[in-house]
Amino acid sequence: MSKGWENWTASEVEDFQADFLMWYQQEKRNLPWRYNQDPYRIWISEIMLQQTRVDTVIDYFYRFMEEFPTIQDLAKAPEDKLLKVWEGLGYYSRARNLQAAAKQIMEDFEGEFPTTVEDIRSLKGIGPYTAGAISSIAFEITEPAIDGNVMRVVSRLFCIEADIAKASSRTIFDEAMRKIISQTQPGDFNQAMMDLGSSICTPTNPQCEVCPIQQYCQAYQENRQAEFPVKSKKQKPKDVYYVAGIIENQQQEIFLKKRSETGLLANMWLFPLEEINAARYTELQEQYDPAAWDLFSSSNVAEDSPDFFSDQEVIWQKKILGEVKHVFSHLRWHILVFYGRSAAPLTIDGRWVKPDDFPGYVFPKPQQKMLEVFENNLADDKD
């Protein structure tokens, strides 16, 4: 593989850095975690920004810093409170890893954020990219921060044909970045790469006409921008099918079930779910028309109880409240939402909760979507 960066002279590298950093100083985004070089703020922002858009993160960042302004506050926070502040951001393991790392800092580093790349990498949930971002921005250590944006920029800059979907390719991009990164302003350089990749050197239709490093870009010179980065197709998420039961008792409380302590959506609260196969999912869609009946009509009781939650004494309405879909990185959930009223105490573990008390519970995105379906039906029923 050709390594174009090896052909750059020291003078060319200096010119490239000067042009790129000048552009960054003029055009850098005004973001709340860039107000200072506090490693704690930088760390929190970088973890939040994983798999999440900047516009979404900003409000969450403000709330998080208000609730947990210091590493000590984060380390000692009740998990339910932490997850509630994180609610809606998804990938909840990120929040748990943050707290685990905060406890590491309190125990192993006397409450002070570590200052070397090796020590930063030792923290729970911190990989090469995050360590590079924190160490370069907070401590001016010459360490690349290589994420998808950076690999896209660098792959076009040098026409790198390595597949960015393969972990083994990271060493190539690491080598290229160490050749061109600023030795005096590594934090600004890494952030310039992030900004360029998110605003100009985009996956499709890059705005090459306004790119500050256009004259250095090999792909631009050869009119091959669309060929980079090279990326093999990602495996499609697996489809999983569920029915959800919104079950109400005579006290107008709704039953919630807590997920297990490990695995997907650990310790989150949801309406009870039962997995079914795709064929049965389709049958239920056809059998229970979502628009056929009013929700709380006495004539709306299913003549034959559906075969889900069959071990519970619940009177189910013969209507689908709605359908919810949610995509995780490896799974695509399809959920048919049903409403029922308990005829006897339930035998599954869970808790009866007044709807007014829902804000005190940590709801993942699928639960929020199911709750919205239920509330929409309540509103329709009152009209």
Side-chain angles (χ1 to χ4, degrees):
M1 176 182 296
S2 174
K3 297 183 177 181
W5 57 92
E6 292 182 342
N7 299 323
W8 280 22
T9 66
S11 177
E12 287 174 322
V13 171
E14 288 178 6
D15 290 345
F16 170 80
Q17 292 171 350
D19 290 343
F20 197 22
L21 290 170
M22 182 181 297
W23 169 80
Y24 176 69
Q25 292 303 325
Q26 294 172 347
E27 303 294 337
K28 64 181 178 181
R29 292 176 291 181
N30 183 22
L31 300 172
W33 45 88
R34 289 183 175 176
Y35 292 162
N36 57 40
Q37 292 178 283
D38 180 356
Y40 177 60
R41 293 169 64 87
I42 295 166
W43 171 42
I44 299 302
S45 70
E46 290 296 342
I47 299 300
M48 285 186 169
L49 287 165
Q50 295 172 4
Q51 308 291 329
T52 311
R53 292 173 57 86
V54 171
D55 291 346
T56 301
V57 165
I58 291 174
D59 286 342
Y60 278 94
F61 178 80
Y62 279 125
R63 285 197 293 271
F64 193 98
M65 297 309 299
E66 183 177 347
E67 292 290 342
F68 315 115
T70 68
I71 294 171
Q72 183 178 10
D73 292 321
L74 174 58
K76 67 181 184 181
E79 184 179 273
D80 284 351
K81 181 179 180 181
L82 171 63
L83 295 179
K84 188 65 181 176
V85 173
W86 197 271
E87 185 179 70
L89 266 180
Y91 301 94
Y92 289 89
S93 61
R94 295 182 295 172
R96 294 189 176 94
N97 286 342
L98 278 172
Q99 185 167 57
K103 291 177 180 179
Q104 277 183 267
I105 295 171
M106 297 303 299
E107 295 172 3
D108 300 339
F109 300 99
E110 299 181 350
E112 296 293 329
F113 202 95
T115 59
T116 69
V117 176
E118 293 74 18
D119 286 343
I120 295 171
R121 281 291 306 272
S122 74
L123 299 177
K124 180 76 171 178
I126 292 186
Y129 165 76
T130 306
I134 297 170
S135 62
S136 64
I137 299 169
F139 305 115
E140 298 293 354
I141 298 172
T142 308
E143 186 69 17
I146 302 171
D147 66 355
N149 280 332
V150 173
M151 285 194 284
R152 183 168 59 255
V153 172
V154 175
S155 69
R156 288 170 176 164
L157 187 61
F158 298 112
C159 287
I160 297 175
E161 296 180 352
D163 185 351
I164 67 170
K166 295 181 178 179
S168 59
S169 296
R170 191 183 185 281
T171 57
I172 298 170
F173 291 94
D174 185 83
E175 181 182 334
M177 276 289 288
R178 290 186 187 278
K179 170 74 174 188
I180 63 175
I181 190 172
S182 170
Q183 302 294 309
T184 57
Q185 301 178 67
D188 283 355
F189 188 92
N190 280 332
Q191 291 177 102
M193 278 283 180
M194 299 171 197
D195 284 7
L196 186 71
S198 64
S199 62
I200 293 177
C201 196
T202 50
T204 58
N205 302 315
Q207 301 175 52
C208 299
E209 65 279 2
V210 296
C211 180
I213 58 173
Q214 175 200 101
Q215 69 186 89
Y216 304 95
C217 181
Q218 185 178 343
Y220 176 77
Q221 304 300 332
E222 299 176 8
N223 195 28
R224 299 175 61 198
Q225 301 95 310
E227 298 178 26
F228 302 97
V230 175
K231 185 177 183 180
S232 55
K233 288 188 177 180
K234 190 176 180 180
Q235 187 174 2
K236 291 184 178 179
K238 176 186 176 182
D239 291 298
V240 186
Y241 300 89
Y242 293 100
V243 288
I246 300 181
I247 305 171
E248 188 175 16
N249 64 15
Q250 293 182 345
Q251 289 73 43
Q252 296 183 313
E253 297 169 322
I254 304 294
F255 193 79
L256 297 178
K257 182 174 174 61
K258 194 173 189 178
R259 301 277 289 185
S260 65
E261 294 182 356
T262 59
L264 187 63
L265 305 181
N267 287 332
M268 306 280 106
W269 291 90
L270 290 88
F271 300 129
L273 297 175
E274 188 168 296
E275 186 174 350
I276 58 177
N277 60 41
R280 181 55 178 154
Y281 190 91
T282 301
E283 289 176 3
L284 288 171
Q285 284 179 306
E286 296 172 350
Q287 183 179 357
Y288 295 95
D289 185 343
W293 300 279
D294 292 332
L295 177 59
F296 296 110
S297 170
S298 59
S299 62
N300 186 14
V301 177
E303 296 177 3
D304 298 313
S305 295
D307 59 4
F308 48 82
F309 303 108
S310 56
D311 57 342
Q312 305 301 316
E313 293 188 45
V314 177
I315 301 172
W316 295 102
Q317 300 280 315
K318 55 182 180 181
K319 167 180 176 167
I320 296 173
L321 300 193
E323 183 176 7
V324 164
K325 296 181 181 180
H326 187 77
V327 180
F328 300 93
S329 58
H330 60 298
L331 296 173
R332 182 187 292 109
W333 279 13
H334 304 259
I335 308 171
L336 292 179
V337 184
F338 286 82
Y339 169 81
R341 288 179 172 152
S342 63
L346 301 184
T347 60
I348 53 178
D349 291 333
R351 183 179 299 177
W352 292 102
V353 179
K354 290 281 189 183
D356 288 346
D357 294 330
F358 282 172
Y361 288 77
V362 182
F363 286 168
K365 202 66 175 180
Q367 172 68 8
Q368 294 176 32
K369 292 178 180 179
M370 289 188 286
L371 183 59
E372 183 178 358
V373 165
F374 181 52
E375 291 174 343
N376 287 342
N377 275 272
L378 288 176
D380 291 343
D381 189 69
K382 292 177 181 178
D383 291 343

